[in-house]
């Protein structure tokens, strides 16, 4: 799933590829991705792209100086594929094709929004104001904003009587961090994912803030300038614990472990994060009963 660094890199890439160009065709192939119907997608046709923005994990393609926006959330299995030359014929819907929506420019170039797998969560909105997208309106502050300092993080976590892992992933608390980067941030901060967010001492909040900014900034820098097609591989290669169950921790050499949930899992290093003690894996213990 693309998170803040990948969406930020996609935005950078699209600024160069789209701004100044005219949208000549928008073709929703999987109708279910469209979450708005007024204005219709065809209202984008004939308009010029004037900016590309990011809100958390949402991408915002702005046209005609902000008159109309195409906002998208790629969700877990969605992706954006740049096409130097779009095929002439219309895309055929149905079957196993991952193509969800196609946007064509006057140059013959364009991009496809695709979604793999059976869970369809990719979402596209055509709106006059990005803030009219409920998911955008709900977003908490952007963790890379200049004013997102340690005291801001402390304020956000103060009332959070839940585990820090869940708090970091909550888009309405902090925008843009998902399952992968929350694992990475907690590993860099040497903090247990199960630690109660509101119990953090000022020193721990400062360390978490430092880890959060460093982890995200480094990921943004690694991704910047890469073509859309290379971002996924870059994300994977930069991760230290996420998705690396059974591999050695690059910091201490201990074995990276995981905790499984019904639809996701988290990874962590016991030596770095939990005083050497493995965390209880509820799914495993349930299976063993
Ligand atoms: Zn370690």
């Amino acid at each position: 799933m693309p998170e803040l660094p990948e969406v930020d890199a996609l935005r950078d890439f699209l600024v160069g590829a789209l701004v100044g160009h005219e949208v000549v065709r928008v073709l929703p192939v999987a109708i279910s991705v469209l979450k708005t119907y007024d204005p219709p997608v065809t209202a984008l046709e004939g308009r010029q792209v004037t900016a590309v923005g990011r809100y958390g994990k949402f991408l915002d393609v702005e046209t005609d100086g902000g008159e109309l926006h195409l906002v998208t959330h790629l969700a877990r299995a969605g992706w954006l594929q740049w096409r130097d030359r779009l095929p002439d014929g219309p895309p055929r819907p149905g079957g196993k094709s991952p193509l969800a929506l196609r946007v064509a420019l006057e140059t013959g170039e364009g991009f496809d929004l695709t979604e793999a797998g059976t869970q369809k969560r990719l979402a596209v909105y055509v709106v006059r104001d990005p803030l009219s997208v409920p998911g955008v309106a709900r977003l908490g502050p952007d963790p890379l904003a200049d004013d997102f300092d340690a005291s801001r993080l402390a304020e956000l976590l103060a009332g959070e009587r839940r585990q820090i892992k869940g708090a970091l992933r909550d888009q309405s608390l902090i925008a843009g961090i998902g399952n992968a980067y929350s694992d990475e941030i907690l590993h860099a901060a040497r903090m247990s994912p199960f630690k109660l967010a509101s119990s953090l001492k000022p020193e721990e909040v400062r360390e978490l803030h430092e880890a959060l900014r460093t982890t995200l900034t480094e990921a943004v820098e690694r991704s910047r300038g890469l073509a859309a097609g290379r971002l996924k591989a870059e994300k994977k290669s930069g991760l230290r614990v996420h998705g690396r169950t059974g591999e050695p921790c690059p910091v201490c050499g201990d074995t990276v472990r995981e905790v499984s949930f019904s639809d996701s899992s988290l990874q962590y290093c016991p030596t770095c994060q939990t005083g050497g003690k493995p965390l209880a894996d509820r799914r495993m213990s349930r299976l063993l009963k």
Side-chain angles (χ1 to χ4, degrees):
M1 169 183 217
E3 300 180 28
L4 185 156
E6 294 77 44
V7 179
D8 209 63
L10 275 177
R11 178 187 60 94
D12 260 17
F13 171 80
L14 290 176
V15 166
L18 295 180
V19 171
H21 289 293
E22 186 193 328
V23 174
V24 292
R25 199 74 67 228
V26 183
L27 294 164
V29 180
I31 297 298
S32 61
V33 302
L34 264 182
K35 304 304 175 192
T36 53
Y37 59 91
D38 181 28
V41 281
T42 49
L44 287 161
E45 296 174 358
R47 292 177 184 267
Q48 192 183 56
V49 178
T50 44
V52 184
R54 176 184 64 78
Y55 299 92
K57 297 187 245 181
F58 288 81
L59 268 175
D60 169 24
V61 178
E62 177 206 278
T63 66
D64 288 1
E67 277 186 29
L68 203 59
H69 299 251
L70 183 146
V71 176
T72 184
H73 188 267
L74 295 170
R76 187 177 279 191
W79 199 248
L80 182 147
Q81 291 182 338
W82 180 253
R83 309 285 299 263
D84 288 327
R85 167 122 198 96
L86 286 171
D88 293 326
R92 261 174 298 158
K96 289 202 162 64
S97 166
L99 179 58
L101 181 114
R102 170 167 290 169
V103 175
L105 304 177
E106 89 286 4
T107 55
E109 300 166 298
F111 63 85
D112 287 342
L113 296 179
T114 60
E115 187 171 34
T118 50
Q119 281 191 324
K120 299 300 181 190
R121 291 186 186 163
L122 188 140
V124 174
Y125 311 80
V126 179
V127 289
R128 295 186 181 89
D129 177 3
L131 285 175
S132 65
V133 175
V136 173
R138 269 199 304 271
L139 289 174
D142 194 281
L144 292 185
D146 290 340
D147 61 355
F148 193 92
D149 54 17
S151 58
R152 185 88 176 90
L153 180 61
E155 283 166 24
L156 291 169
L157 297 179
E160 293 297 327
R161 298 196 54 78
R162 55 178 161 162
Q163 291 163 350
I164 187 67
K165 168 76 182 176
L168 287 178
R169 284 182 68 180
D170 180 348
Q171 301 304 296
S172 62
L173 194 70
I174 302 170
I177 301 170
N179 196 26
Y181 287 103
S182 54
D183 277 356
E184 295 298 304
I185 290 164
L186 291 168
H187 178 251
R190 307 177 64 84
M191 186 176 289
S192 167
F194 287 176
K195 201 169 174 77
L196 197 64
S198 58
S199 75
L200 265 57
K201 299 180 184 75
E203 183 57 28
E204 291 172 315
V205 174
R206 273 196 296 277
E207 282 170 20
L208 181 64
H209 176 263
E210 174 69 23
L212 185 154
R213 293 279 279 218
T214 307
T215 302
L216 293 179
T217 306
E218 284 177 4
V220 165
E221 280 164 9
R222 274 200 312 273
S223 309
R224 188 155 285 164
L226 289 183
R230 287 188 51 206
L231 285 169
K232 269 193 263 194
E234 180 55 46
K235 174 183 179 184
K236 197 158 189 293
S237 72
L239 300 175
R240 293 177 173 179
V241 288
H242 184 77
R244 298 199 180 279
T245 307
E247 296 180 33
C249 165
V251 173
C252 72
D254 192 1
T255 304
V256 172
R257 286 180 173 260
E258 94 175 4
V259 180
S260 302
F261 305 96
S262 58
D263 64 345
S264 70
S265 62
L266 67 81
Q267 282 84 33
Y268 69 101
C269 167
T271 296
C272 290
Q273 295 175 256
T274 57
K277 284 197 284 288
L279 296 168
D281 186 331
R282 283 168 217 163
R283 190 183 66 167
M284 281 310 294
S285 43
R286 207 166 51 234
L287 289 174
L288 292 171
K289 260 178 203 164

